Amino acid sequence: MLEIQDAFTRALLERDRPIPPGLTCSNGLRPERRFAIHRDNVVAGLIATLASRFPATQRIVGAPFFVVLARAFIDRHPPRSPVLLEYGKDLPSFVEAFEPARDLPYLADVIRLEAARGRAYHAADMPPLDPQTLAVLPQERLPFIRFDFHPATSMIRSSHPIVTIWAMNADGSKPKPVEPWLAEDAMVSRPTLNVRVHRLPSGGGTFLSLLAAGSPLGDAVEAALSESPNFNLSTNLAFMLGAGVTTAIR
Amino acid sequence: MKPSKLPGRAGVGLKPQHFTAIVAARQPVGFFEVHAENYMGDGGPLHAQLGRLRQDYALSIHGVGLSIGSMQPLDADHLGRLKRLCDRYEPDSFSEHLAWSSHDGVYLNDLLPLPYNGSTLARVAEHIDLIQTTLSRQILLENPATYLSFAESTIPETVFLAELVQLTGCRLLLDVNNVVVASINQGVSPDTYLKAFPLHCIQEIHIGGHAESVDESGAPLLIDSHGSPVSDPVWRLFEHVIDRVGPVASLVEWDNDVPSWAMLRKEAEAAQKILDRPSKTIAA
């Protein structure tokens, strides 16, 4: 009996294979057409799942190209779990190596941004850090504090203007040429129920990635300053607290 | 083992886009149903919505990913997730399909058919036992929409389902749309199928829409699509079943091309009207 499911599975995933033996149809018809319904269900359902997780990506490349991309991805990375909430985790690295998408070097990072939004949507609920917590702290302790990040928070560092590109393809407006073409680091947060996408202030990428890795505030400031001289601590702290990217200090 | 206990009223599948309209007033629906796998994230808006509606309405959790009909062992991680979900919401019912959808660790994202014989019966019964033990509750098993059959099948589907009820103490979810789809595709009359169905074991009914196509001989080929209003043959058969069994929890399934809340509610109200009719008590 296991052999039937082995053969059935192979024929579903490899669409050129003959259908498994032992299938029958009413009124003596050939079972190929019926089996094709299952083949279509598998791939159409997964394409729809990817399209709903990556709507801006689909808009950028257009629906026909998206279907080609999604099919190629599904063939290589069929889902390993019946929970599809995170299906497509491997899509960014797949796209980086996908020859037909070669002319869109920013695409993988836009996909990373959309994947981060999906993760944030389903992440655990936690109240964000109360800004008062920092305000009442003695000045001399500040360099030594570390932050716990909110489970919905993620950062995407890019050498392309990915927040700009994502935003103009997410809101249904007509995309315009992006000028100037500047690198943007994105942060996704969900302090309450709405997922938010932010463009990080100057130096924020280095600053927040060090904090997220557990570095104390003083070290993160130093590294951010040495990388971008116009790094502004109060702007970045105000951003962090306003966007609700952390939950506690230690 | 907790029994399934949905109210004998019309219900609808919960869609996140309808939430605002739903909470604006008390809705004339007896219960909401959700797909288990869509609620297996840790938190966020979907859980906030479900938690809110759970306070006011009965809840049915409907799984699509357990792969009960698989000859391989059940996915223990998935069963664990399901247990956590049931512990969180204490649904009035949990249901799954007589089908398989995972193999060798790959999720195939479709409800696939299995042959019906002594060895598959034993395997499926084992799986239902394990699920019912893990969840400490009776589950409902849904009859599938099928397009194919197997040379290795030796037991009619209706008998297979009745045997599973006997072996495991589970109950059945009768999907009337699946009866129409499978019967037409298998070249039998839906009424004949229903005559053989163990109607006394039904604890829930699904009704929905299907797409019509034709096979290479020009005969009708129906596709289970859940993307349109309940079709006329499904309404007719539904009335017939309710006449025989009385009011049973009945869900309007509309998962693709989801309509407005007002439209979906109208379908549920039409189902409720049938449930409210005085029983004709036709002898079974």
Side-chain angles (χ1 to χ4, degrees):
Chain A
M1 217 44 64
L2 191 57
E3 300 77 47
I4 294 184
Q5 293 185 341
D6 273 333
F8 211 106
T9 302
R10 276 198 302 274
L12 280 177
L13 295 176
E14 298 163 39
R15 290 184 289 271
D16 302 333
R17 250 178 204 275
I19 72 165
L23 296 178
T24 59
C25 239
S26 60
N27 44 29
L29 295 172
R30 282 155 42 88
E32 275 78 3
R33 166 138 166 75
R34 304 297 182 91
F35 193 82
I37 296 171
H38 290 295
R39 275 184 173 140
D40 290 347
N41 282 348
V42 173
V43 76
L46 293 175
I47 291 173
T49 298
L50 291 170
S52 72
R53 291 206 60 207
F54 303 103
T57 304
Q58 189 184 25
R59 183 138 192 264
I60 290 168
V61 301
F65 186 93
F66 189 83
V67 168
V68 172
L69 168 64
R71 266 181 182 273
F73 175 74
I74 292 161
D75 284 347
R76 180 75 74 80
H77 299 275
R80 309 292 303 184
S81 161
V83 184
L84 296 176
L85 305 180
E86 289 207 9
Y87 183 54
K89 261 201 322 268
D90 307 309
L91 188 59
S93 52
F94 180 82
V95 161
E96 277 168 349
F98 189 60
E99 192 56 34
R102 220 201 155 110
D103 294 341
L104 305 172
Y106 55 86
L107 193 62
D109 284 344
V110 174
I111 295 172
R112 287 188 177 94
L113 174 54
E114 295 206 281
R117 291 186 76 246
R119 271 198 310 280
Y121 187 79
H122 295 291
D125 303 305
M126 278 182 95
L129 178 68
D130 179 354
Q132 277 306 311
T133 320
L134 277 191
V136 300
L137 215 62
Q139 279 300 95
E140 65 276 15
R141 265 206 62 199
L142 276 180
F144 306 104
I145 61 169
R146 299 164 202 267
F147 291 86
D148 288 338
F149 274 61
H150 195 288
T153 302
S154 29
M155 177 158 60
I156 302 96
R157 306 196 66 179
S158 181
S159 41
H160 304 284
I162 54 161
V163 180
T164 306
I165 295 169
W166 170 79
M168 68 166 65
N169 285 286
D171 67 1
S173 65
K174 197 171 146 64
K176 303 181 288 287
V178 179
E179 273 173 0
W181 189 271
L182 299 173
E184 290 176 353
D185 293 331
M187 183 155 263
V188 173
S189 68
R190 205 203 82 224
T192 52
L193 286 181
N194 294 324
V195 177
R196 293 152 69 175
V197 175
H198 318 270
R199 191 183 287 107
L200 288 183
S202 182
T206 302
F207 177 64
L208 285 156
S209 40
L210 280 168
L211 289 182
S215 294
L217 183 59
D219 293 3
V221 172
E222 213 170 292
L225 273 173
S226 78
E227 194 195 77
S228 57
N230 47 1
F231 170 78
N232 181 311
L233 178 58
S234 52
T235 307
N236 275 272
L237 277 180
F239 162 74
M240 264 176 81
L241 295 170
V245 303
T246 60
T247 56
I249 55 170
R250 274 177 291 131
Chain B
M1 209 159 72
K2 251 175 282 176
S4 180
K5 55 172 177 59
L6 285 173
R9 298 185 54 206
V12 292
L14 175 63
K15 300 294 164 205
Q17 61 267 41
H18 293 153
F19 179 74
T20 315
I22 291 169
V23 290
R26 174 78 205 187
Q27 301 298 333
V29 297
F31 68 101
F32 285 98
E33 184 162 292
V34 295
H35 284 179
E37 286 71 18
N38 292 342
Y39 290 81
M40 287 183 175
D42 292 326
L46 295 188
H47 283 292
Q49 293 181 355
L50 190 57
R52 168 81 169 72
L53 291 182
R54 184 71 188 103
Q55 298 169 5
D56 298 333
Y57 297 91
L59 174 67
S60 161
I61 294 186
H62 187 55
V64 297
L66 262 181
S67 202
I68 291 179
S70 179
M71 294 302 105
Q72 294 179 328
L74 291 180
D75 177 344
D77 290 342
H78 197 59
L79 196 49
R81 285 189 287 264
L82 196 61
K83 176 165 172 46
R84 285 193 294 281
L85 188 65
C86 285
D87 288 347
R88 184 169 180 170
Y89 290 103
E90 288 294 334
D92 300 287
S93 168
F94 173 73
S95 49
E96 251 284 359
H97 300 83
L98 177 59
W100 58 287
S101 52
S102 291
H103 190 73
D104 282 343
V106 173
Y107 175 60
L108 296 160
N109 195 46
D110 191 20
L111 295 164
L112 301 163
L114 62 147
Y116 301 135
N117 55 42
S119 90
T120 58
L121 180 67
R123 190 70 175 153
V124 172
E126 242 173 72
H127 286 167
I128 295 175
D129 278 338
L130 176 60
I131 297 162
Q132 294 191 134
T133 308
T134 307
L135 302 182
S136 315
R137 60 167 68 233
Q138 183 179 51
I139 72 163
L140 310 182
L141 192 66
E142 175 177 337
N143 58 298
T146 54
Y147 308 99
L148 288 162
S149 33
F150 292 87
E152 293 192 43
S153 279
T154 55
I155 307 175
E157 185 173 287
T158 47
V159 175
F160 195 85
L161 287 165
E163 289 283 335
L164 285 171
V165 170
Q166 282 295 318
L167 290 168
T168 68
C170 76
R171 292 292 179 267
L172 301 177
L173 190 173
L174 175 67
D175 188 313
V176 176
N177 184 49
N178 289 356
V179 171
V180 173
V181 168
S183 300
I184 298 300
N185 292 344
Q186 308 284 358
V188 298
S189 120
D191 295 299
T192 307
Y193 179 94
L194 268 191
K195 260 193 202 112
F197 197 91
L199 290 179
H200 59 286
C201 302
I202 298 176
Q203 301 258 323
E204 189 187 344
I205 292 174
H206 278 178
I207 52 178
H210 53 250
E212 289 177 28
S213 177
V214 284
D215 68 22
E216 56 269 51
S217 73
L221 173 61
L222 303 185
I223 316 272
D224 180 32
S225 57
H226 298 180
S228 52
V230 178
S231 63
D232 288 341
V234 171
W235 279 126
R236 192 186 59 74
L237 219 54
F238 174 61
E239 287 180 19
H240 180 67
V241 171
I242 297 303
D243 280 345
R244 291 182 55 180
V245 301
V248 174
S250 298
L251 181 91
V252 175
E253 273 193 312
W254 199 326
D255 298 321
N256 299 304
D257 297 322
V258 176
S260 69
W261 170 248
M263 171 98 179
L264 192 56
R265 197 177 83 167
K266 242 172 73 185
E267 290 281 281
E269 284 167 339
Q272 186 63 50
K273 239 182 217 145
I274 292 167
L275 293 169
D276 287 340
R277 291 196 313 204
S279 169
K280 286 192 195 161
T281 40
I282 296 173

